[in-house]
Amino acid sequence: LAFSTRAIIKHPLRPIIVPTNPITSFFKHSLFRNPSSITHTSPLVPNRTYATNTTGQFKTYKPRTPGLRWLRRPINDHLWKGKPVRKLTLPKRSSGGRNHHGRITVRHRGGGHKRRIRIIDFNRWESGAHEVLRIEYDPNRSAHLALLRHKESNNLSYILAPFGLREGHVVHSFRSQQTLEREGEDPSITKLAALERGNCLPLRMIPQGTTIHCISLRPDGPGILCRSAGTSAQIIHTGSKGYSQVRLNSGEVRLIHVDCCATIGTVSNPDHQHRMLGKAGRSRWLGIRPTVRGVAMNSVDHPHGGGRGKSKGNRHPVSPWGVLAKGGKTRKKSNPWVVKPRKRR
């Protein structure tokens, strides 16, 4: 009908439709009259970005589908858009929550997108200056990664990116200097350079009140504490000998040896806990299977199951095996390294 040459009858209640040739109008575009103006942001390429509000901390989308209506993501425009360094990755073999007998030992796991494990340097024994090449996304953890390159040896390595670290920054590792004499300071370590975010150094060289993360529990061990997105700890008391007192995110105060190392700053991606997936399928992409309530099961499957209506029989919330699920004591003995325990329910 677009190529029809029939006369159009005017009607008082119908609009006049002028037939056009879509092929002719396509080649009459200004980009074809001036081919030099064609760029990667050509209007001929459809715009697939449905984000409506990116002015705050999160990115929201137009509700074109039910899954986009409640989707909310942190704004991380500084992340690397390409693939990771291949030699610093390993294939991840998923077990689906099953043991070597094939029985499910961890529920609600299975499926998910294919991933590769990033080899992260939690020890940071190589001293010297490292240049930050880029900040990358890691599908295996909530925090972001920073790709480092040693300025002398050109070795590449991944570390947990502190909040605020960007491409082009320089970080140092002073962990190998802890074998020096305790009385004298290493002249290469200055107080201003040591307290920059991303630097790794022993606790005895970090002043009180400093925010740290990726803390080791042994002088020769890797960083273990405070590795999730947005987590950090604070040094309450430290010295040249003995143990330092560190307050963790939960409020617990713990004793850690002064020769253990930590990284200055807070872990990146602090808005990870406030994101919204928007739909159940996004949880399946992450390898999380659905969770069924106990009151919806039969009595042979769960202690809360059975009965007429939604009732668990006036019983305290328990697991499928009868263990208290909320507020039950699970610790057999107290931890001697904990000075002040965290607040419990």
Side-chain angles (χ1 to χ4, degrees), residues 87-343:
K87 65 180 181 179
L88 295 179
T89 60
L90 293 173
K92 182 178 181 180
R93 309 299 181 188
S94 177
S95 63
R98 280 130 173 113
N99 60 4
H100 62 285
H101 289 299
R103 299 188 180 96
I104 295 178
T105 56
V106 181
R107 301 186 300 162
H108 315 139
R109 291 189 182 182
H113 198 279
K114 188 195 302 186
R115 304 178 183 178
R116 290 189 68 88
I117 299 175
R118 274 69 167 173
I119 302 175
I120 303 176
D121 184 13
F122 290 114
N123 292 302
R124 302 188 65 177
W125 286 111
E126 189 176 15
S127 61
H130 296 74
E131 182 185 1
V132 180
L133 297 182
R134 58 189 184 228
I135 308 297
E136 295 187 7
Y137 166 79
D138 189 359
N140 305 295
R141 65 188 67 249
S142 57
H144 297 153
L145 302 182
L147 180 63
L148 305 182
R149 182 179 61 189
H150 198 273
K151 287 195 171 183
E152 296 180 1
S153 61
N154 292 329
N155 293 332
L156 298 178
S157 61
Y158 279 124
I159 65 168
L160 295 182
F163 179 70
L165 193 70
R166 291 293 182 269
E167 176 184 351
H169 290 185
V170 178
V171 297
H172 297 78
S173 176
F174 302 106
R175 186 165 192 176
S176 61
Q177 274 86 352
Q178 63 178 319
T179 57
L180 299 176
E181 295 182 358
R182 300 289 182 86
E183 292 77 11
E185 273 191 24
D186 185 13
S188 64
I189 303 178
T190 60
K191 293 184 177 180
L192 294 179
L195 294 181
E196 293 181 356
R197 64 169 64 95
N199 290 352
C200 178
L201 58 161
L203 294 180
R204 58 184 170 83
M205 297 183 180
I206 305 176
Q208 299 179 12
T210 306
T211 302
I212 57 177
H213 69 276
C214 199
I215 311 166
S216 63
L217 295 180
R218 295 180 303 169
D220 58 345
I224 295 178
L225 301 180
C226 299
R227 302 196 322 195
S228 288
T231 58
S232 62
Q234 188 179 19
I235 296 182
I236 300 177
H237 175 72
T238 186
S240 59
K241 297 181 181 179
Y243 293 85
S244 298
Q245 292 186 8
V246 178
R247 181 190 290 118
L248 303 179
N249 244 12
S250 60
E252 177 181 292
V253 179
R254 188 185 178 99
L255 291 176
I256 301 176
H257 199 273
V258 294
D259 285 339
C260 296
C261 287
T263 306
I264 305 297
T266 307
V267 186
S268 56
N269 198 16
D271 294 325
H272 173 79
Q273 60 177 340
H274 303 299
R275 63 173 183 165
M276 296 179 63
L277 299 182
K279 61 180 181 180
R282 201 172 296 274
S283 294
R284 303 304 300 268
W285 298 345
L286 299 176
I288 304 173
R289 298 189 71 242
T291 302
V292 180
R293 295 171 295 121
V295 295
M297 300 181 186
N298 296 325
S299 58
V300 297
D301 298 322
H302 201 280
H304 297 168
R308 295 171 180 254
K310 298 179 181 178
S311 174
K312 61 179 185 297
N314 293 328
R315 184 170 182 175
H316 288 288
V318 295
S319 68
W321 304 276
V323 181
L324 291 175
K326 295 183 179 180
K329 301 290 185 179
T330 58
R331 181 162 293 182
K332 303 298 181 182
K333 58 182 179 180
S334 61
N335 192 343
W337 304 110
V338 176
V339 177
K340 179 183 177 182
R342 63 180 174 87
K343 292 184 179 181

Side-chain angles (χ1 to χ4, degrees), residues 5-59:
T5 57
R6 293 181 299 176
I8 300 176
I9 303 176
K10 296 182 179 180
H11 194 276
L13 299 179
R14 295 179 182 176
I16 300 177
I17 302 175
V18 180
T20 58
N21 191 338
I23 301 177
T24 305
S25 61
F26 180 80
F27 286 99
K28 285 183 178 180
H29 199 276
S30 61
L31 293 178
F32 288 93
R33 294 196 298 267
N34 186 12
S36 61
S37 63
I38 298 179
T39 60
H40 65 281
T41 59
S42 171
L44 295 178
V45 180
N47 186 8
R48 300 293 185 184
T49 303
Y50 303 144
T52 59
N53 182 16
T54 58
T55 57
Q57 294 180 343
F58 296 93
K59 182 186 297 184

